[in-house]
Amino acid sequence: MKFYNTLRFKIVVFAITVEIVMLSLLILNADRLILNHMSSQTYKQIDNIRSNFQASLLPLLIERDYASLDALLDKYTYSKEIAYIFITKDNNIISSSKWDRSKGIPLSDGVLISTDTVFDTTQTIEYMGQNYGTVYFGFNTLFLKNAQNELFTQSFIIALAEVMLSVILLFSLGYFLTQHLQTLTNAAEEMSANQFDIDLKINSKDELGLLGYAFNRMARKIKNQITMIQRQDELKNAIFDNMEHILIVTDKNGVIRSFNKQAENTLGYTTEEIIDDNTPEIFFDKKDREEKAKLYSKELGVELNSSFDTVLAKTERGLKNQDYWKFITKDQKELILYLNITALKDKNDVTYGYIYVGEDKTDIFKLEKSLKEESHRLKTILENAGDFIHILNIKGDLKIYSDSFIEYLGYTKDEAKELNVVDWDKNFLPESQISELLRSQQTFEAIHTKKDGSTFDVEVKTSKIILDGEPYLYCASRDITERKISQEQIRQRDLLLQQQARLASMGEMIGNIAHQWRQPLSLISTISSSYKVKSEFNMPINSDDELNKDMVKIIDTVKHLSQTIDDFRSFFKHTNQKEIFSINKVISNCANIISASFDNHFIKLKKDIKDDSLKYNGSASMLSQAILNILSNAKDVLLENKVENKIVKITLDSMDDKTIEIKIKDNGGGVPKEIEDKIFDSHFTTKENSDGTGIGLYMSLQIMQQHFNGELLVKNKEDENGYGAEFTLILRA
């Protein structure tokens, strides 16, 4: 608190003001009395001077001794009591001292004025009734003014000293009287700031000491009461905020005073945004209120509009007010709340507020709505499903079905009530298979039997569903008889294509055999012809060493021919039997088979084997056919595009533990973009004059997909050998 606002300052200021006023009045009154007294003494002195003038001047005037008269007048003015003096007779100045005769005769002053320095007056000189002259003189009153000023100065100094002494005394007295009041004031301010740990140290035994003692008791009592109230509030807030229900409390005017955490979380508003400024009306959906107004109007027999009064209509009439209401959250989402509205009343049964307790039923409403929609959708699906829908319990009894299912089986709806899965699937075992099928979604083929005993192939898809808390097997079956026929036709077509591809490959291989055998047979023919000529013409035969060398050449050549026959036999051996084989060996065999044809056309075959230990469990002959098809295609492209430096590169590498890649790259210019998506199609060929069958790459793709769980990819690529197509054969375990 600022000093000038304190009580002691105000007491001192008030006392000093009163004292100053009183002293001022005393000084002014004293000045007035002294002035009156001095004025009276002055008048007496003037009267004495007049009498003196009568006695001293009369003889000189009678004798007309003007020289002595002038000297006497100068003597009077020399005393400084008389400022000037002159004598007139018949309006003429006959003698003067310190008077300017050009000024004329002054008027006499009737009253002595303290502000004047000279009092003008006259004295007539008479004797025996004869006028000898009139004396005009100015009595010097400057002493009177000086005395008044000196008196005022001394009085002011005395008064100032008295005021200063009073200030000191009053401040001391004020401090003594108010020092404990300041302590009490500070304590009161601490209490207003909810600080109740107060212990006033007022040791006096007067009223202030008793007041301090009472103040300490009051502070402790208030602290205990507030602590109790705080604990009650904490308990109330804990209950209030941890309720699973929305809780809103309003005053009698509907203004929200309490808003719990669940209300915040559910409605999206913070307590600060809501309390003291809003009513619950901001949460209620307007259309919902309109519908409730119509409903309550009929129920209560009164006319209600869609205003907020509808919400409290039952409560204000003392009725139980519980109903479902649509609320709108801060982010404009719709909620369905089951709301209970109760009036808060005091002991006089006067309503002072309302409490709204709400439970969010949105999910239940959505669930009920979804169940209705799902039920309708299920009914629609069952009635219009293309598949045969049927739902079984764990015993295999038919519980729910589509009309198409029982109609296709030839049963009526009454007969369907008694059906079990074994009635249409003779091979099904409910005790074991249903439990197995409930574990995961499955798809399988089966044979269903109609009521008349006829059968048809079906594909069945099953999954687990929960109805009324119990597991059921959902089944969707489809007649695949026609698909079975189509699949057999496709299988026959693929078999025919494979045979065609095989025959085409055999033609290729026969050409390769011719290339492979031409040079070895020429060598054998040359050696044998040489010995025949020498024998016919009786020429000497070579030495035994040369003969042995020639025989070794013939034997090695025959072995090479025999190995070639084995390689071709392995290629033409068509088997799907799986065996673990070396991929590097398959690549080497393919290279051997086609090497003669490549050499004959000046095609260089490069191999980049990253890992020669790679093996695969499958059909080696199938992989050989796929590789030879691609190598043969590469040869044709290189010859067709008349590439000068013809190169084909085979790369073998593993991508991971379960993936192997074989890349075959040529430098024949690549696959044109317009046919990239067609080269794996059946019977598609770019060779002119029908030199190609168009099934080589198609069959290679089928082989990789069906026998090696893999893929056959192609892309154009530039490398150190030039630009061309790169085929990637991917094998997966």
Side-chain angles (χ1 to χ4, degrees):
M1 180 185 294
K2 294 182 178 179
F3 176 70
Y4 56 78
N5 289 327
T6 61
L7 179 61
R8 69 180 65 164
F9 178 79
K10 294 178 180 179
I11 291 174
V12 171
V13 170
F14 177 75
I16 296 301
T17 302
V18 172
E19 184 173 5
I20 290 173
V21 171
M22 295 301 296
L23 288 174
S24 298
L25 293 175
L26 289 173
I27 292 172
L28 292 174
N29 187 55
D31 182 66
R32 182 183 62 81
L33 293 174
I34 292 172
L35 182 61
N36 290 340
H37 176 72
M38 293 184 69
S39 297
S40 176
Q41 294 298 321
T42 300
Y43 283 132
K44 289 180 179 181
Q45 189 174 358
I46 290 172
D47 288 341
N48 291 333
I49 291 173
R50 285 174 178 169
S51 299
N52 191 14
F53 283 167
Q54 181 71 23
S56 62
L57 294 178
L58 181 60
L60 296 176
L61 288 173
I62 292 175
E63 293 178 0
R64 296 184 179 180
D65 185 359
Y66 293 114
S68 298
L69 187 62
D70 289 338
L72 182 60
L73 292 181
D74 288 338
K75 185 177 180 180
Y76 279 129
T77 57
Y78 182 76
S79 66
K80 295 184 180 181
E81 289 183 352
I82 297 175
Y84 69 88
I85 186 171
F86 63 89
I87 303 171
T88 65
K89 185 175 182 181
D90 298 330
N91 294 325
N92 293 316
I93 300 174
I94 60 176
S95 181
S96 65
S97 178
K98 294 184 179 181
W99 178 255
D100 185 3
R101 294 189 178 190
S102 63
K103 290 183 179 180
I105 298 173
L107 298 175
S108 298
D109 292 328
V111 180
L112 182 64
I113 300 174
S114 63
T115 58
D116 295 335
T117 59
V118 177
F119 182 75
D120 299 317
T121 186
T122 62
Q123 175 63 40
T124 303
I125 306 298
E126 294 179 345
Y127 183 71
M128 299 296 290
Q130 185 178 351
N131 186 356
Y132 288 96
T134 303
V135 179
Y136 290 86
F137 67 93
F139 185 77
N140 193 347
T141 61
L142 183 59
F143 75 94
L144 184 62
K145 184 174 181 64
N146 291 336
Q148 183 182 10
N149 290 338
E150 184 177 356
L151 177 62
F152 181 80
T153 300
Q154 292 177 355
S155 299
F156 179 77
I157 291 172
I158 294 171
L160 182 60
E162 184 179 354
V163 169
M164 293 299 294
L165 183 60
S166 298
V167 168
I168 294 172
L169 292 174
L170 288 171
F171 264 106
S172 300
L173 180 61
Y175 176 77
F176 174 75
L177 293 175
T178 62
Q179 61 174 334
H180 296 309
L181 291 178
Q182 182 62 45
T183 303
L184 291 171
T185 301
N186 294 337
E189 289 180 351
E190 290 181 8
M191 289 179 64
S192 67
N194 294 327
Q195 300 294 329
F196 297 100
D197 295 326
I198 298 170
D199 186 14
L200 299 179
K201 303 296 184 182
I202 301 177
N203 298 321
S204 62
K205 297 182 180 181
D206 55 10
E207 291 84 350
L208 291 175
L210 294 175
L211 180 60
Y213 176 74
F215 202 94
N216 286 336
R217 288 185 60 193
M218 179 182 69
R220 286 193 293 270
K221 189 172 183 180
I222 292 175
K223 179 182 178 181
N224 292 335
Q225 291 178 345
I226 288 179
T227 301
M228 185 179 297
I229 292 172
Q230 287 176 342
R231 290 175 180 174
Q232 291 175 349
D233 285 343
E234 290 172 358
L235 177 61
K236 182 196 73 174
N237 291 335
I239 296 172
F240 191 75
D241 287 334
N242 289 282
M243 290 181 64
E244 294 183 356
H245 293 72
I246 294 171
L247 194 63
I248 302 171
V249 180
T250 72
D251 59 19
K252 64 179 180 180
N253 297 318
V255 178
I256 298 174
R257 300 302 181 190
S258 295
F259 196 73
N260 74 341
K261 291 292 184 183
Q262 185 64 27
E264 287 184 345
N265 297 335
T266 303
L267 300 177
Y269 294 91
T270 63
T271 301
E272 291 74 15
E273 292 176 311
I274 292 299
I275 61 171
D276 300 333
D277 291 322
N278 297 280
T279 68
E281 185 174 1
I282 65 171
F283 308 128
F284 286 83
D285 180 70
K286 185 177 180 181
K287 291 183 178 180
D288 189 43
R289 288 208 315 267
E290 291 175 354
E291 295 176 359
K292 288 290 195 306
K294 295 177 182 178
L295 180 64
Y296 288 179
S297 294
K298 293 180 180 179
E299 184 178 344
L300 301 176
V302 295
E303 186 64 29
L304 297 173
N305 54 34
S306 60
S307 68
F308 190 67
D309 293 339
T310 300
V311 177
L312 299 174
K314 290 185 177 181
T315 303
E316 291 178 345
R317 289 166 175 77
L319 301 175
K320 190 175 183 180
N321 192 355
Q322 295 178 344
D323 207 341
Y324 289 95
W325 290 89
K326 184 182 291 185
F327 269 39
I328 306 299
T329 66
K330 183 179 180 180
D331 56 2
Q332 300 304 306
K333 291 182 179 179
E334 291 185 357
L335 299 177
I336 303 299
L337 266 64
Y338 184 68
L339 201 61
N340 183 4
I341 307 174
T342 305
L344 299 174
K345 297 185 178 183
D346 59 19
K347 62 182 180 180
N348 296 320
D349 202 34
V350 176
T351 299
Y352 63 86
Y354 299 92
I355 182 168
Y356 298 70
V357 180
E359 183 179 1
D360 188 359
K361 296 289 187 179
T362 307
D363 292 340
I364 295 176
F365 262 70
K366 287 182 178 179
L367 180 59
E368 291 178 352
K369 183 179 180 181
S370 298
L371 288 175
K372 291 179 182 178
E373 292 176 352
E374 187 65 27
S375 177
H376 177 71
R377 182 164 56 251
L378 180 59
K379 183 178 180 181
T380 302
I381 290 173
L382 291 175
E383 292 176 351
N384 300 282
D387 291 340
F388 306 139
I389 306 300
H390 49 288
I391 298 175
L392 312 175
N393 64 11
I394 58 175
K395 295 180 180 180
D397 298 326
L398 181 63
K399 293 299 181 182
I400 302 175
Y401 51 84
S402 63
D403 293 343
S404 59
F405 178 65
I406 58 171
E407 289 175 0
Y408 204 79
L409 292 177
Y411 293 99
T412 65
K413 290 184 177 181
D414 290 335
E415 292 173 331
K417 295 177 182 178
E418 305 298 329
L419 288 178
N420 186 277
V421 63
V422 295
D423 293 323
W424 65 82
D425 191 342
K426 307 300 184 182
N427 298 319
F428 196 86
L429 301 174
E431 295 80 4
S432 58
Q433 285 185 262
I434 289 184
S435 298
E436 180 67 26
L437 293 173
L438 286 173
R439 295 177 182 175
S440 62
Q441 294 183 357
Q442 297 190 33
T443 301
F444 57 91
E445 294 182 0
I447 298 175
H448 283 182
T449 303
K450 296 183 179 181
K451 181 180 178 180
D452 60 7
S454 60
T455 61
F456 58 97
D457 293 313
V458 293
E459 180 185 73
V460 183
K461 295 182 178 180
T462 63
S463 63
K464 177 182 177 181
I465 62 173
I466 302 296
L467 299 175
D468 296 329
E470 297 293 333
Y472 286 81
L473 185 65
Y474 172 88
C475 307
S477 58
R478 178 176 297 180
D479 187 346
I480 59 172
T481 304
E482 293 183 0
R483 191 175 77 185
K484 280 280 194 178
I485 296 173
S486 299
Q487 288 176 344
E488 179 62 23
Q489 292 174 344
I490 293 172
R491 192 186 68 80
Q492 292 294 335
R493 186 198 66 179
D494 288 344
L495 182 60
L496 178 60
L497 288 174
Q498 289 179 13
Q499 291 175 348
Q500 290 176 348
R502 200 75 176 166
L503 291 173
S505 297
M506 288 176 66
E508 292 273 350
M509 292 305 102
I510 289 172
N512 289 328
I513 290 172
H515 288 298
Q516 287 277 18
W517 282 18
R518 182 176 289 113
Q519 185 177 356
L521 291 175
S522 176
L523 177 61
I524 294 172
S525 176
T526 300
I527 294 173
S528 60
S529 297
S530 174
Y531 280 104
K532 182 180 180 181
V533 169
K534 288 180 180 181
S535 175
E536 289 178 353
F537 292 97
N538 295 316
M539 296 175 64
I541 297 177
N542 297 339
S543 64
D544 293 339
D545 290 338
E546 290 179 353
L547 180 61
N548 288 333
K549 289 180 181 180
D550 289 337
M551 291 301 104
V552 169
K553 287 181 181 180
I554 292 174
I555 292 171
D556 289 340
T557 302
V558 171
K559 287 181 179 180
H560 173 68
L561 293 176
S562 177
Q563 181 62 44
T564 302
I565 291 172
D566 291 338
D567 291 340
F568 282 107
R569 183 183 295 115
S570 296
F571 173 75
F572 288 116
K573 181 182 178 183
H574 183 68
T575 175
N576 292 334
Q577 184 176 356
K578 290 185 178 182
E579 59 182 355
I580 297 176
F581 63 89
S582 169
I583 296 179
N584 181 36
K585 185 176 180 181
V586 170
I587 293 174
S588 298
N589 290 340
C590 292
N592 290 335
I593 291 173
I594 205 166
S595 60
S597 178
F598 271 33
D599 292 342
N600 188 51
H601 293 95
F602 304 102
I603 299 173
K604 186 175 182 181
L605 180 63
K606 294 182 177 181
K607 291 193 294 181
D608 183 10
I609 308 301
K610 306 290 186 183
D611 186 354
D612 60 2
S613 65
L614 294 176
K615 298 181 182 300
Y616 191 87
N617 186 16
S619 172
S621 64
M622 285 294 181
L623 182 59
S624 298
Q625 183 177 346
I627 293 173
L628 286 171
N629 283 340
I630 296 172
L631 290 173
S632 178
N633 267 22
K635 180 196 72 174
D636 293 341
V637 168
L638 291 170
L639 295 177
E640 181 180 346
N641 294 334
K642 299 179 181 179
V643 177
E644 183 174 350
N645 184 22
K646 297 179 280 293
I647 298 173
V648 176
K649 181 180 179 181
I650 302 177
T651 303
L652 172 63
D653 197 3
S654 61
M655 303 307 296
D656 52 51
D657 293 341
K658 296 183 178 181
T659 306
I660 299 172
E661 284 188 354
I662 303 171
K663 295 183 179 181
I664 302 175
K665 162 74 171 53
D666 62 53
N667 61 345
V671 180
K673 288 186 177 181
E674 59 270 17
I675 65 170
E676 276 185 357
D677 297 334
K678 301 178 181 179
I679 61 173
F680 294 115
D681 292 349
S682 174
H683 298 291
F684 177 80
T685 181
T686 59
K687 298 175 182 177
E688 298 179 358
N689 301 321
S690 300
D691 288 338
T693 61
I695 59 175
L697 290 179
Y698 169 75
M699 289 309 305
S700 296
L701 175 63
Q702 298 302 311
I703 288 171
M704 297 309 299
Q705 290 178 343
Q706 296 177 13
H707 296 276
F708 297 96
N709 191 29
E711 299 176 70
L712 176 58
L713 308 175
V714 65
K715 68 177 180 180
N716 294 328
K717 182 180 178 181
E718 177 79 35
D719 62 6
E720 69 277 6
N721 298 321
Y723 184 76
E726 181 182 74
F727 288 85
T728 302
L729 295 87
I730 300 176
L731 298 82
R732 295 189 180 93

